[in-house]
Amino acid sequence: MDGTEGNAGQPGPADRSHRSSVSSVGARAADVLVYLADDTMVPLAVENLPSLTAHELHQAVREVLQLPDVALDAFALWLVSPLLEVQLKPKHQPYKLGRQWQELLLRFTDAPDDDVAMDEPSLQFRRNVFFPKRRELQIHDKEVLRLLYEEAKGNVLAARYPCDVEDCEALGALVCRVQLGPYQPGQPTACALREKLDSFLPAHLCKRGHGLFAALRGRGTKAGTGEQGLLNAYRRVKEVAGSESQHEASLSPHYRAYLLKCHQLPFYGSAFFHGEIDKPAQGFLHRGGQKPVFVAISLEGVHVIDSREKHVLLGLRFQELSWDHTSAEEEESVLWLEFDGDNEGTPVNKLLKIYSKQAELMSSLIEYCIELSQAAEPAAPQESAADPAAAPGSSPPPTQHPQLRRQGSVVCSRIQHLSTIDYVEEGEQIKRVKPKRSTSFFSRQLSLGQGSYTMVQPTESLEQG
């Protein structure tokens, strides 16, 4: 496993239980359980399990679920446990990797020895990190859409995909439509939604304050604001004309609408890794410390997410960064990200240090994603989110500017919350405290060929993007 197609990351929302995917192993046959994004299982009776490849098991799952050919690219097999998740290459042998699981945990996690000894992975059928969003827009098979929807929903509810409250309510309303059917006046009530609010909204938005401060803060406001907002959004969900409301096929437009909404999140489809960053020094004693983060890496870039506050700290497209990593053998396992910024009005290069035993994997994944972006043909214009069912042969919609993000949105960078190393280059000396990528501190960066590479200008604000 070299971390390009097989990549390890932070455990996801499907890790609700400590489970195994091999229920029995005999001399010839074994029963293998493959978990789907909705936590259901696909049992497979296979021969010669130790030598079976991920590609062969993937094919068996597709046959059982009767999925179309696009599922070969849209999904991958993953080994997942509460401590680690790994997307498998087609040539990987899941059984053998499972036998090496403790070695992987010791290499790529800081888990205590007791947890390592008890940990056991499950085999999961999940979205392929390398499947482009533009191809996802072309899918019409209802079961493929449902599986993608279930995985995206799990990531939203687990706050792996941080969303603003308005977006959480819009996404939760689509979940209400899928689970409860079309909105009916008076049904459900806000009180009824409150009973299972965590099925529709992330847990941190379902919590209620207690005590005097919460009572004073809530004085003069209506109770159940979250439920009411969700109910209002549910009321606005549009139905497809001429469809049978209770027929399962009618849910496909709602699966699709959910995915289109998630496509607006810059980290959709990412692989997630665990790390820590330095906190900015605060107070008279300049105490800092470290804070836990998720590092989300996709085909489009890298996002550093505050795992406690549920918001983005830094978002960079590959054109906006240089990177490198150091291993524990050299000094310590660190992923370095370099990007343009300013220090009190002076253009500088900023270095962010991410401490993680998965730094090597993150570096390899960034490199592989850049290779894929260089090899890919120019993407066709995406379908308009407002009209996903545009008629074939119709003229493409006009190019739309990116939607402006809300001030203070959870998906905007918060560079002021980062502790970075700032430096400029003068002559042959590098002084801490350079705006051009072409003279980066690191040699590893995106290069798209002659005439196509645009350097990030110092005046561009990363906090806006």
Side-chain angles (χ1 to χ4, degrees):
M1 185 180 66
D2 60 13
T4 52
E5 288 184 67
N7 57 81
Q10 178 68 13
D15 312 317
R16 302 185 185 95
S17 59
H18 201 85
R19 59 201 180 189
S20 171
S21 280
V22 181
S23 58
S24 63
V25 179
R28 298 181 56 193
D31 294 327
V32 178
L33 302 178
V34 180
Y35 291 82
L36 304 180
D38 59 0
D39 223 19
T40 59
M41 298 176 294
V42 177
L44 301 173
V46 299
E47 299 286 338
N48 198 19
L49 174 62
S51 64
L52 277 182
T53 64
H55 175 75
E56 292 169 322
L57 284 174
H58 193 289
Q59 182 178 357
V61 173
R62 297 199 318 272
E63 290 175 354
V64 171
L65 299 179
Q66 298 182 335
L67 298 178
D69 291 342
V70 70
L72 176 62
D73 297 327
F75 299 100
L77 284 180
W78 294 66
L79 279 177
V80 177
S81 82
L83 299 180
L84 184 69
E85 58 184 22
V86 180
Q87 177 173 318
L88 304 183
K89 294 180 179 181
K91 65 181 182 182
H92 276 148
Q93 295 173 313
Y95 180 80
K96 291 184 178 180
L97 276 180
R99 297 292 297 270
Q100 301 168 5
W101 194 246
Q102 291 188 5
E103 298 175 24
L104 295 177
L105 295 179
L106 292 173
R107 182 179 175 185
F108 295 120
T109 77
D110 293 308
D113 290 345
D114 289 345
D115 292 346
V116 169
M118 295 295 296
D119 196 60
E120 190 173 1
S122 63
L123 198 58
Q124 299 190 14
F125 190 75
R126 289 167 44 174
R127 190 186 190 279
N128 183 357
V129 171
F130 309 115
F131 189 64
K133 289 191 294 187
R134 58 182 170 79
R135 289 193 60 192
E136 194 169 288
L137 290 171
Q138 302 167 3
I139 295 175
H140 297 284
D141 182 85
K142 65 182 181 183
E143 183 61 14
V144 174
L145 288 173
R146 187 189 71 84
L147 291 173
L148 292 170
Y149 155 82
E150 290 286 354
E151 184 168 343
K153 181 187 71 173
N155 283 323
V156 170
L157 294 179
R160 289 181 108 192
Y161 291 170
C163 300
D164 294 323
V165 174
E166 298 92 332
D167 294 328
C168 285
E169 290 174 349
L171 291 168
L174 289 167
V175 179
C176 287
R177 170 58 185 87
V178 169
Q179 295 185 4
L180 306 177
Y183 174 79
Q184 301 292 337
Q187 295 293 333
T189 63
C191 292
L193 287 179
R194 188 181 306 132
E195 296 296 326
K196 49 181 180 178
L197 198 59
D198 58 358
S199 298
F200 309 119
L201 296 176
H204 67 281
L205 296 183
C206 301
K207 296 178 181 178
R208 288 175 173 76
H210 299 282
L212 177 61
F213 178 74
L216 292 174
R217 184 176 57 185
R219 186 173 295 172
T221 62
K222 295 182 179 179
T225 304
E227 299 90 75
Q228 192 58 52
L230 178 62
L231 191 61
N232 292 339
Y234 183 20
R235 188 182 296 115
R236 292 191 295 268
V237 174
K238 296 180 180 178
E239 294 298 325
V240 179
S243 66
E244 299 179 20
S245 60
Q246 300 303 323
H247 193 274
E248 184 177 351
S250 69
L251 295 179
S252 293
H254 303 298
Y255 297 148
R256 188 175 176 82
Y258 194 99
L259 293 172
L260 286 169
K261 186 72 174 174
C262 286
H263 283 193
Q264 298 175 15
L265 303 173
F267 32 75
Y268 174 77
S270 292
F272 287 82
F273 301 83
H274 176 73
E276 292 184 334
I277 61 173
D278 293 320
K279 293 181 180 179
Q282 295 179 340
F284 178 74
L285 298 178
H286 298 284
R287 292 178 177 174
Q290 295 180 344
K291 70 165 62 179
V293 295
F294 295 141
V295 182
I297 301 175
S298 70
L299 290 174
E300 299 177 3
V302 180
H303 286 79
V304 181
I305 299 171
D306 191 317
S307 56
R308 292 176 179 168
E309 299 298 328
K310 318 299 183 188
H311 60 218
V312 171
L313 294 169
L314 179 66
L316 297 169
R317 294 170 296 175
F318 292 127
Q319 298 93 326
E320 297 171 328
L321 65 86
S322 300
W323 89 99
D324 211 334
H325 80 280
T326 54
S327 64
E329 290 77 13
E330 299 175 69
E331 182 178 0
E332 55 186 341
S333 187
V334 170
L335 178 72
W336 296 87
L337 297 180
E338 181 192 52
F339 56 98
D340 296 327
D342 69 83
N343 187 314
E344 298 180 351
T346 301
V348 298
N349 274 5
K350 290 179 173 286
L351 290 176
L352 179 65
K353 188 177 184 180
I354 303 174
Y355 305 90
S356 175
K357 291 187 74 172
Q358 298 172 5
E360 176 188 354
L361 293 170
M362 290 188 275
S363 179
S364 297
L365 182 56
I366 291 172
E367 186 168 15
Y368 189 68
C369 286
I370 289 176
E371 290 177 2
L372 288 178
S373 68
Q374 291 174 329
E377 297 179 357
Q382 293 189 0
E383 299 174 5
S384 170
D387 185 18
S394 61
S395 58
T399 302
Q400 297 183 356
H401 295 288
Q403 184 178 9
L404 292 176
R405 294 181 182 154
R406 305 178 184 92
Q407 185 175 5
S409 169
V410 298
V411 301
C412 291
S413 294
R414 288 162 171 78
I415 298 178
Q416 71 275 15
H417 293 177
L418 298 176
S419 175
T420 59
I421 300 172
D422 297 352
Y423 75 91
V424 295
E425 183 175 335
E426 296 181 2
E428 297 181 354
Q429 294 183 340
I430 290 179
K431 297 183 178 181
R432 292 175 60 172
V433 181
K434 158 170 191 156
K436 293 184 179 179
R437 278 282 77 74
S438 59
T439 47
S440 166
F441 188 74
F442 299 127
S443 61
R444 308 182 74 176
Q445 53 188 277
L446 173 61
S447 177
L448 294 177
Q450 296 182 352
S452 62
Y453 175 64
T454 303
M455 284 184 280
V456 178
Q457 299 301 316
T459 55
E460 293 184 8
S461 173
L462 293 180
E463 295 190 42
Q464 297 298 324

